[in-house]
Amino acid sequence: MQAVIFRRPGVSLECVERPDPVAGPGQVLLAVHACGVCRTDLHIVDGELDSPKLPLVLGHQIVGTVVEAGAGVDRFAPGERVGVPWLGWTCGRCRYCLTGRENLCGRALFTGYTIDGGFAERTVADARFCFPIPAGYPDLQAAPLLCAGLIGYRALTFTGDAERLGLFGFGAAAHIVTQVARWQGRRVFAFTKEGDDHGKAFARSLGAEWTGDSSEPPPEPLDATIIFAPAGELVPAALAATERGGTVVCAGIHMTDIPAFSYELLWGERTLRSVANLTRADGEAFMEVAPRVPVRTEVRPFPLAEAGNALAMLRGGGLDGALALSLTA
Ligand SMILES: [Zn+2]
Ligand SMILES: [Zn+2]
C-alpha cells in the first residue's frame, strides 16, 4: 500500500510503499476512502504533542470499507462502510472507563497519534471503536464528521442550553457546530481573525447572525463560547464576551499559553473548561444528529501524496470548511 509517513518534527511527510497491515484479533482491516485533515495533525507534525508513535501514519477522521474482520469481530462484516475516530482504544478497567469517561482513560490510544491512522490506502482499527457512517454522506463529506463534527458536538453539549453562542476560530469544527446550533434554535456569533472577511461571509452563510474580529466585543453578552483556535489570548477575550453564569469551552488539544487576566473576568460564576477527546457515546449521538440537521460539510479534497500540501494549506488558514485526503478519485 501507499502510506504517508511522519518521521519526526522538522522532516517533511513522505509517501512510501509499505506492506498492508494485518487485522489482529478484534480489529478490522479497512480500505481507506477518505481521511480528514485536522489541526491536531499540525500539532503533531510541529512537535507540540508529547510522545507520538514514530514513524507514524497520521490521520484520525477515517472513512473506509471493511476488507477483512479479525478473529472475534462480529460488529462489522467485509464490505461495510465504517468511520474511525481519534479514540482508538481504552483500557476498559480504570475509573474513567468505568464511569462513562473513557475519553480521559490514562492508557487510551489515539488514531494517527499513538497508533497508525488513515493517511494510507489501508489501515487497521479496533472494531469496538469504529462506527457506521450515516448512509446519506459521501465518503469525503463524512470524513470531517469524525473529529471536527464529533469533538465540536461534544464541546457544544458542554454549553448546556446557552442560547447566544460565540464561536472563536471559524474552521472545520465551527462550520459544523454552527449548523447544529442553529438547528437546536441557538443564536450564533462568530469571531474570526482580524480582517478575515471571507471567513465572516462563510460563517453568515451557515447561519451566524453576527460576525466580528476576535478583538471586538459582541453586540450583546453571550451565554457560552467555544474556542476552536489554538490561541491562548482568546481565553480572556472569550470570558469578557460571556455573560455571568456562562461557560467558555476550549475545544482544541493544544493551546498557546493563556495570558494573565483579571479575576473579574471569571467572577460571576463563569466556567472555563476544556474538552478532551471523545467517548464512543459521543460518536453514536453525533452520527444520529448529523443527518437530522442535516449537517452539510464543505470539504476540499487532496490526493494522498499531497498530504503535506493539505497540512500547509490548513496552517495558512482562511479555508471554507474542512480538508480531507481522497483515496478513491
Ligand atoms: Zn481532529
Ligand atoms: Zn481506562
Side-chain angles (χ1 to χ4, degrees), residues 23-24 26-30 66-70 73 76 82 123-127 130:
Q27 291 184 321
V28 282
L29 171 66
L30 302 175
V66 176
V67 174
E68 206 178 283
V73 174
F76 300 109
V82 300
T123 194
V124 290
D126 187 319
C130 301

Side-chain angles (χ1 to χ4, degrees), residues 38 40 60-61 147:
C38 175
T40 297
H60 56 269
Q61 307 186 80
C147 179

Side-chain angles (χ1 to χ4, degrees), residues 7-81:
R7 298 199 183 279
R8 60 178 182 277
V11 177
S12 302
L13 298 183
E14 225 180 293
C15 195
V16 301
E17 195 77 34
R18 264 197 166 186
D20 283 3
V22 175
Q27 291 184 321
V28 282
L29 171 66
L30 302 175
V32 178
H33 294 176
C35 186
V37 178
C38 175
R39 180 83 222 181
T40 297
D41 300 317
L42 271 184
H43 292 312
I44 295 169
V45 164
D46 291 344
E48 289 166 336
L49 299 186
D50 284 341
S51 315
K53 170 190 177 290
L54 291 176
L56 171 70
V57 178
L58 291 159
H60 56 269
Q61 307 186 80
I62 306 169
V63 179
T65 47
V66 176
V67 174
E68 206 178 283
V73 174
D74 48 15
R75 197 165 138 74
F76 300 109
E80 267 184 79
R81 187 169 75 143

Side-chain angles (χ1 to χ4, degrees), residues 117-253:
F119 285 15
E121 290 174 324
R122 294 270 194 278
T123 194
V124 290
D126 187 319
R128 297 169 302 167
F129 291 83
C130 301
F131 6 85
I133 300 279
Y137 286 90
D139 296 328
L140 198 63
Q141 278 65 35
L145 299 178
L146 287 154
C147 179
L150 221 158
I151 295 182
Y153 182 69
R154 182 175 174 87
L156 182 62
T157 61
F158 286 136
T159 67
D161 59 1
E163 190 201 340
R164 296 166 299 180
L165 177 71
L167 301 177
F168 282 79
F170 209 86
H175 104 286
I176 294 174
V177 166
T178 297
Q179 299 174 56
V180 179
R182 293 293 299 129
W183 174 73
Q184 291 174 333
R186 304 178 198 249
R187 300 165 58 200
V188 175
F189 299 73
F191 299 79
T192 69
K193 272 190 194 144
E194 212 113 330
D196 181 7
D197 295 334
H198 189 76
K200 290 180 178 72
F202 183 54
R204 281 194 299 273
S205 76
L206 294 170
E209 70 175 59
W210 176 90
T211 55
D213 293 339
S214 45
S215 56
E216 249 178 88
E220 54 188 292
L222 306 175
D223 302 307
T225 50
I226 306 175
I227 304 176
F228 290 113
E233 69 268 19
L234 294 177
V235 170
L239 281 168
T242 303
E243 180 72 290
R244 296 183 306 284
T247 299
V248 173
V249 183
C250 301
I253 192 168

Side-chain angles (χ1 to χ4, degrees), residues 85-133:
W86 171 249
L87 188 71
W89 182 89
T90 54
C91 82
R93 294 205 302 253
C94 70
R95 68 191 180 101
Y96 294 109
C97 284
L98 294 175
T99 53
R101 296 179 293 165
E102 62 183 0
N103 59 309
L104 302 178
C105 175
R107 293 176 58 208
L109 296 175
F110 300 104
T111 311
Y113 175 34
T114 52
I115 49 178
D116 281 338
F119 285 15
E121 290 174 324
R122 294 270 194 278
T123 194
V124 290
D126 187 319
R128 297 169 302 167
F129 291 83
C130 301
F131 6 85
I133 300 279

